[in-house]
């Protein structure tokens, strides 16, 4: 990457592919350019000489992929003279919106389902100075309110119903193609409001159309078993899952996600909360990558594709040596409570070498 693009974020890097002009004021925290990490143990689990890579989006400035779309949405809002951002969120969008609003020197209002936001994400929205309103309802209710509020002048909605969010998030696909030299064969990711799968597919198609890649990946999405409207093809009134980021019953980009899955010959499948937590622990302990539960849903999904006979997309039929990318959408530290039941109750011992040795068991 040329030094003039270093640390300046995804707009500077992919300006030619994004709806900005010379006069757009760029609000960036240096997002993007996240590592594509080769994962030997995941590759081993998939077998057949396949290579699995993690796109670790938890390393963005606010710890999730949302920053890619937020830099563009906030820059465009500023260009139009907006002074207040507004969004509904399951946590990460609000954290990101709050940070970019702070950076831009404008205000931000976030509408959240009360008691349903991971602790780290709520802390982020607060510390970046957002005005937080908790509603007695779920994410889908919050988004409905935001849609209505956003019709009044002066507000910019920065949910993924704002096309700038999707445009910015396409840059994750651009980076993958740039690093791999081509598109992967398969791309796995969790699906909530369905903006990200829409954005990746748009990004892959765009680079393909520009001759930057020779192939297109099959897009494979995963929803939590009790929050799976796209999988079941019906609105889920009361979505439930430990993966609070994807606890969504009526996704805004439902149709676009369907199109991405069908056009790419991919699939959409479900994973249980137990599978999600098991995959989260497995990834941390075998690859050293700490994903939040929503992100671990895609890892759990990968395991399902490897072995389950009822998997929608079976890896048994994929080409030998396939290249598989899985997006880890958010950092595990955002949601410490998800693993509350797993953490051991550490009993302190006397500060003596023998006691410590005994406690260690070796
Ligand atoms: N993973 C994480 C960590 C998320 O925060 C989200 C969405 C998703 C996956 C799903 O992405 O909605 O584009 O399909 N979080 C939104 C939010 C809804 O409000 O932070 P999607």
């Amino acid at each position: 990457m040329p030094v003039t693009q270093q640390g300046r974020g995804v707009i500077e890097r992919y300006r030619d592919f994004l709806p900005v002009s010379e006069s757009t004021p760029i609000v960036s925290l240096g997002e993007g350019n996240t590592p594509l990490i080769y994962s030997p143990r995941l590759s081993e689990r998939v077998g057949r000489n396949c290579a699995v890579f993690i796109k670790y989006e938890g390393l963005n400035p606010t710890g999730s992929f949302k920053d890619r779309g937020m830099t563009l949405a906030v820059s465009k809002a500023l260009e139009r003279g907006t002074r207040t951002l507004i969004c509904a969120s399951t946590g990460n969008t609000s954290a990101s919106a709050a940070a970019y609003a702070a950076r831009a020197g404008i205000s931000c209002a976030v509408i959240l389902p009360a008691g349903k936001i991971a602790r780290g994400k709520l802390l982020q929205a607060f510390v970046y100075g957002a005005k937080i309103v908790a509603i007695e309802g779920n994410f889908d209710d919050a988004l409905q309110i935001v849609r209505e509020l956003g019709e009044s002048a002066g507000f910019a909605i920065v949910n993924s119903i704002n096309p700038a969010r999707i445009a910015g998030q396409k840059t994750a696909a651009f980076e993958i193609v740039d690093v791999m030299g081509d598109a992967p064969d398969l791309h796995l990711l969790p699906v909530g409001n369905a903006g990200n799968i829409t954005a990746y597919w748009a990004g892959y198609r765009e680079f393909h159309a520009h001759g930057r890649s020779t192939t297109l990946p099959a897009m494979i999405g995963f929803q939590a078993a009790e929050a799976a409207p796209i999988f079941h093809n019906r609105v889920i009134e009361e979505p439930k899952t430990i993966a609070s980021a994807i606890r969504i019953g009526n996704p805004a980009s439902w149709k676009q996600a369907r199109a991405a899955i069908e056009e790419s010959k991919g699939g959409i499948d479900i994973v249980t909360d137990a599978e999600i937590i098991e995959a989260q622990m497995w990834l941390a302990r075998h690859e050293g990558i700490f994903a939040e539960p929503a992100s671990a849903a895609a890892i759990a999904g990968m395991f399902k594709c490897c072995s389950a006979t009822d998997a929608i997309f079976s890896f048994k039929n994929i080409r030998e040596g396939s290249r598989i990318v899985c997006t880890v959408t958010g950092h595990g530290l955002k949601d410490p409570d998800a693993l509350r039941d797993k953490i051991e109750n550490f009993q302190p011992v006397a500060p003596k070498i023998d006691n410590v040795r005994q406690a260690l068991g070796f």
Side-chain angles (χ1 to χ4, degrees):
M1 196 194 291
V3 74
T4 49
Q5 289 172 1
Q6 202 67 46
R8 289 165 197 253
V10 297
I11 298 178
E12 225 35 87
R13 190 160 175 211
Y14 292 110
R15 189 170 259 285
D16 296 348
F17 296 91
L18 298 172
V20 288
S21 70
E22 283 308 314
S23 59
T24 310
I26 306 300
V27 184
S28 171
L29 288 164
E31 62 295 315
N33 199 22
T34 54
L36 186 68
I37 307 171
Y38 173 65
S39 299
R41 298 220 170 84
L42 278 172
S43 304
E44 200 178 293
R45 268 193 79 158
V46 173
R48 305 186 52 216
N49 287 321
C50 291
V52 177
F53 299 85
I54 296 292
K55 182 66 172 162
Y56 196 11
E57 291 287 276
L59 296 186
N60 273 299
T62 74
S64 87
F65 71 97
K66 304 287 180 179
D67 297 341
R68 291 179 185 279
M70 206 54 75
T71 180
L72 192 60
V74 177
S75 298
K76 295 300 283 182
L78 215 58
E79 186 176 39
R80 289 193 303 272
T82 307
R83 304 302 307 164
T84 306
L85 308 180
I86 188 164
C87 67
S89 185
T90 56
N92 282 324
T93 297
S94 56
S96 185
Y100 282 79
R103 183 76 171 196
I106 58 177
S107 54
C108 177
V110 305
I111 317 297
L112 308 174
K116 306 270 174 58
I117 305 298
R119 206 145 41 102
K121 301 175 190 178
L122 194 57
L123 180 64
Q124 285 181 291
F126 168 75
V127 84
Y128 293 130
K131 171 93 189 148
I132 300 171
V133 178
I135 60 156
E136 291 159 352
N138 60 28
F139 169 82
D140 304 292
D141 302 322
L143 185 57
Q144 187 50 42
I145 291 168
V146 163
R147 282 181 195 272
E148 287 168 32
L149 277 174
E151 279 164 19
S152 17
F155 281 124
I157 299 178
V158 293
N159 282 102
S160 56
I161 53 175
N162 177 338
R165 277 278 315 280
I166 304 287
Q169 283 172 212
K170 288 188 303 193
T171 60
F174 296 165
E175 287 177 11
I176 291 167
V177 172
D178 279 343
V179 168
M180 296 181 94
D182 207 338
D185 299 287
L186 311 171
H187 191 122
L188 280 62
L189 77 173
V191 174
N193 213 23
N196 212 24
I197 191 167
T198 303
Y200 268 104
W201 182 236
Y204 282 126
R205 270 185 329 190
E206 196 166 338
F207 258 29
H208 189 249
H210 279 84
R212 307 267 285 242
S213 63
T214 64
T215 60
L216 289 165
M219 301 299 303
I220 308 170
F222 295 94
Q223 301 193 296
E226 291 187 55
I230 301 179
F231 176 82
H232 290 299
N233 204 22
R234 65 179 158 85
V235 171
I236 307 294
E237 297 294 341
E238 284 183 35
K240 293 192 199 80
T241 170
I242 190 161
S244 56
I246 52 170
R247 194 184 285 146
I248 293 175
N250 189 9
S253 301
W254 192 326
K255 279 205 194 88
Q256 296 90 321
R258 258 279 150 232
I261 291 157
E262 278 160 23
E263 289 167 18
S264 73
K265 302 189 174 56
I268 183 113
D269 210 342
I270 50 171
V271 288
T272 65
D273 278 8
E275 288 168 333
I276 288 172
I277 294 301
E278 196 188 319
Q280 186 188 22
M281 297 283 288
W282 190 97
L283 191 68
R285 291 180 174 196
H286 291 85
E287 298 285 22
I289 296 172
F290 190 15
E292 67 163 282
S295 314
I299 305 294
M302 187 180 315
F303 295 156
K304 186 170 180 184
C305 293
C306 290
S307 55
T309 48
D310 62 341
I312 294 292
F313 195 102
S314 171
F315 283 1
K316 288 201 186 80
N317 308 321
I318 61 174
R319 190 175 56 77
E320 272 267 327
S322 289
R323 299 196 299 178
I324 304 170
V325 171
C326 183
T327 305
V328 164
T329 48
H331 203 291
L333 286 173
K334 281 173 171 276
D335 190 0
D337 298 324
L339 295 173
R340 208 175 21 207
D341 298 346
K342 294 277 173 191
I343 196 155
E344 288 156 35
N345 198 2
F346 306 104
Q347 285 301 329
V349 299
K352 303 229 161 47
I353 190 115
D354 285 344
N355 299 68
V356 172
R357 205 174 258 144
Q358 197 187 5
L360 282 170
F362 51 76

